[in-house]
Amino acid sequence: MSNSRRNFLQKLALSAIALPLLPSYATSDLDQWSTIDPQKPVLRVALMGLGGYAQHVAEAMQSCKRAKITALISGTPSKLEEWGKKYNVPEQNHYNYANFDDIKNNPEVDAIYVITPNSLHHDQVIRVARAGKHAICEKPMAINAEEGREMVDACEAAGVKLLIGYRMRFEPNTLEVVRMRNDGEFGNIKFFQGLSGFRIGDPNQWRLNKELAGGGSLMDIGIYAINGARYMIGEDPIWVTAQETKTDPIKFKEGVDETIQFQLGFPNGAVASCLSTYNMGSLDRFFLNGEKGFAEMRPSTGYGPIKGRTNKGELNHPHVPHQTIQMDEMASIILDGKTPILSVDGKVGLQDMKIIDAIYRACASGQRQELDLT
């Protein structure tokens, strides 16, 4: 990427970061989280990109037992000042996008959480790796699989971890469904449906700018159905077909998808039927069907509480902010070498990018696309 294009994207991003767009809804892993030992080392985190979603992360981290905010990175001085006071981050730990490479000399930072527009993730995560810090990157990890591979390779070369902000992979009701499936309680899985979408607002926001978002609804909200199909079925897909529908080409310009329907095929014969949209509300539903039973989650990926039921009854794990559990669990992964129930490493993110690339190819060609996620 040229310096001029990078500078353009950085400047555009800093002025465009908007509030989060997911709907707000108010066992095993929750029990593990509730018994986390606060005497163990704390993960010291720098937040990069102080926009709407970062606010959710920062607030949730106030309840973390093993993760805390120790540095801030933003191109807006007033935000650095405001957030520094609010979260007790001293001025010497404030950075901007030009000088954050200096964070390599800061022993008060273990990891940097990149929460910026999609097209900036690639360069920023590689810079984080070169600074010798662990990288946590918001989803989607990049705008295509090629960029994702370069990010994974850079972190491996630097000897640092790369984790993706897949908060649902730590959510207790979700993990209860995964446990039931693993224990054979649903029998052979036959079908999954994932509905992900909402009506997007401001037409000038960065999520509707292809240069910053890398696409449209699929990148932002459809990725939940992609990732959800994988962890709910418990396999990785081997083919995909897809169809795009666009009713408002003014709001959803070339390269910014409004609505995509896609279908995934899995090795065991299961199929998934999914919808990703920026132009429909009242969605956010997962449905898993097996020979012996079913699981339904609605809402399935919103900020919470997640609600669901199975053929055996209601799912009733108490709600804890997803980002609180996520950051404490990521502290355990980074500091203790913990293996989570569902992986959130860069390779999982890269596999999702390969699926997204294939969905876009399927839309353009009208042809089924074979997948190799190895």
Side-chain angles (χ1 to χ4, degrees):
M1 183 185 294
S2 67
N3 287 334
S4 60
R5 181 170 181 265
R6 181 182 297 109
N7 291 338
F8 165 75
L9 292 175
Q10 298 264 10
K11 290 176 181 177
L12 191 57
L14 298 180
S15 63
I17 293 176
L19 288 174
L21 295 170
L22 280 174
S24 178
Y25 310 102
T27 104
S28 53
D29 226 49
L30 183 60
D31 292 341
Q32 291 179 37
W33 176 82
S34 65
T35 58
I36 283 176
D37 184 357
Q39 300 305 313
K40 287 188 174 182
V42 169
L43 184 70
R44 298 164 295 183
V45 180
L47 297 183
M48 176 188 294
L50 307 182
Y53 187 66
Q55 293 179 32
H56 283 275
V57 173
E59 289 299 322
M61 285 184 68
Q62 303 313 297
S63 300
C64 282
K65 301 174 182 180
R66 294 200 58 195
K68 69 176 181 179
I69 302 167
T70 58
L72 301 167
I73 304 167
S74 174
T76 307
S78 60
K79 283 188 177 181
L80 289 170
E81 181 179 2
E82 176 188 350
W83 285 54
K85 291 178 180 177
K86 184 173 183 178
Y87 299 111
N88 195 30
V89 178
E91 188 173 351
Q92 65 265 26
N93 287 355
H94 295 181
Y95 299 86
N96 58 48
Y97 294 101
N99 70 10
F100 82 78
D101 306 272
D102 295 340
I103 209 166
K104 67 176 181 287
N105 300 315
N106 191 336
E108 297 179 2
V109 175
D110 302 308
I112 300 177
Y113 195 163
V114 177
I115 316 177
T116 56
N118 307 339
S119 65
L120 304 181
H121 294 174
H122 170 266
D123 285 6
Q124 290 170 341
V125 165
I126 290 175
R127 288 172 68 185
V128 169
R130 289 173 178 167
K133 305 299 182 181
H134 300 291
I136 302 170
C137 183
E138 196 42 48
K139 62 80 194 162
M141 72 180 296
I143 61 172
N144 55 52
E146 181 181 1
E147 286 195 353
R149 166 56 63 190
E150 291 173 355
M151 294 160 69
V152 169
D153 289 346
C155 290
E156 287 182 350
V160 299
K161 292 187 182 298
L162 171 58
L163 305 179
I164 311 302
Y166 288 133
R167 56 188 168 83
M168 300 314 303
R169 287 181 165 236
F170 301 107
E171 197 279 321
N173 286 312
T174 299
L175 291 178
E176 177 64 11
V177 172
V178 171
R179 182 201 64 76
M180 293 177 69
R181 186 208 66 228
N182 286 342
D183 288 349
E185 295 186 34
F186 303 131
N188 292 328
I189 302 302
K190 296 295 187 180
F191 177 73
F192 171 81
Q193 182 186 52
L195 305 179
S196 299
F198 56 91
R199 293 185 181 276
I200 199 166
D202 180 8
N204 298 313
Q205 62 185 277
W206 71 263
R207 289 176 177 83
L208 296 177
N209 182 317
K210 188 178 187 300
E211 284 290 303
L212 288 171
S217 69
L218 189 65
M219 287 283 188
D220 181 34
I221 191 72
I223 193 171
Y224 284 100
I226 293 170
N227 200 264
R230 296 174 64 196
Y231 62 68
M232 294 284 278
I233 291 175
E235 291 191 334
D236 286 331
I238 55 176
W239 58 259
V240 60
T241 55
Q243 308 80 39
E244 180 177 3
T245 303
K246 186 173 290 191
T247 64
D248 188 348
I250 296 176
K251 187 172 188 177
F252 304 100
K253 297 178 175 59
E254 181 68 25
V256 179
D257 47 284
E258 173 189 329
T259 300
I260 292 180
Q261 298 175 78
F262 59 94
Q263 302 79 40
L264 302 168
F266 293 81
N268 68 356
V271 292
S273 176
C274 301
L275 175 69
S276 167
T277 184
Y278 268 161
N279 205 23
M280 286 179 252
S282 302
L283 295 174
D284 195 10
R285 177 180 183 264
F286 283 177
F287 179 76
L288 183 72
N289 189 263
E291 289 181 330
K292 297 180 181 178
F294 73 89
E296 180 180 35
M297 309 187 76
R298 185 171 187 177
S300 57
T301 63
Y303 291 154
I306 299 301
K307 295 187 179 298
R309 64 190 179 98
T310 74
N311 54 294
K312 296 190 174 182
E314 299 292 320
L315 298 170
N316 55 16
H317 286 283
H319 174 66
V320 174
H322 302 164
Q323 299 85 357
T324 303
I325 301 176
Q326 171 193 318
M327 295 308 295
D328 271 341
E329 287 294 312
M330 286 184 168
S332 295
I333 294 169
I334 291 172
L335 298 177
D336 306 339
K338 178 179 179 178
T339 299
I341 295 171
L342 296 174
S343 178
V344 292
D345 65 22
K347 292 180 181 178
V348 172
L350 174 58
Q351 289 168 330
D352 280 348
M353 295 315 304
K354 289 180 178 180
I355 297 170
I356 286 175
D357 286 355
I359 290 173
Y360 283 135
R361 290 197 304 270
C363 286
S365 68
Q367 302 297 314
R368 168 169 145 167
Q369 302 294 308
E370 304 302 318
L371 292 170
D372 180 4
L373 302 186
T374 58

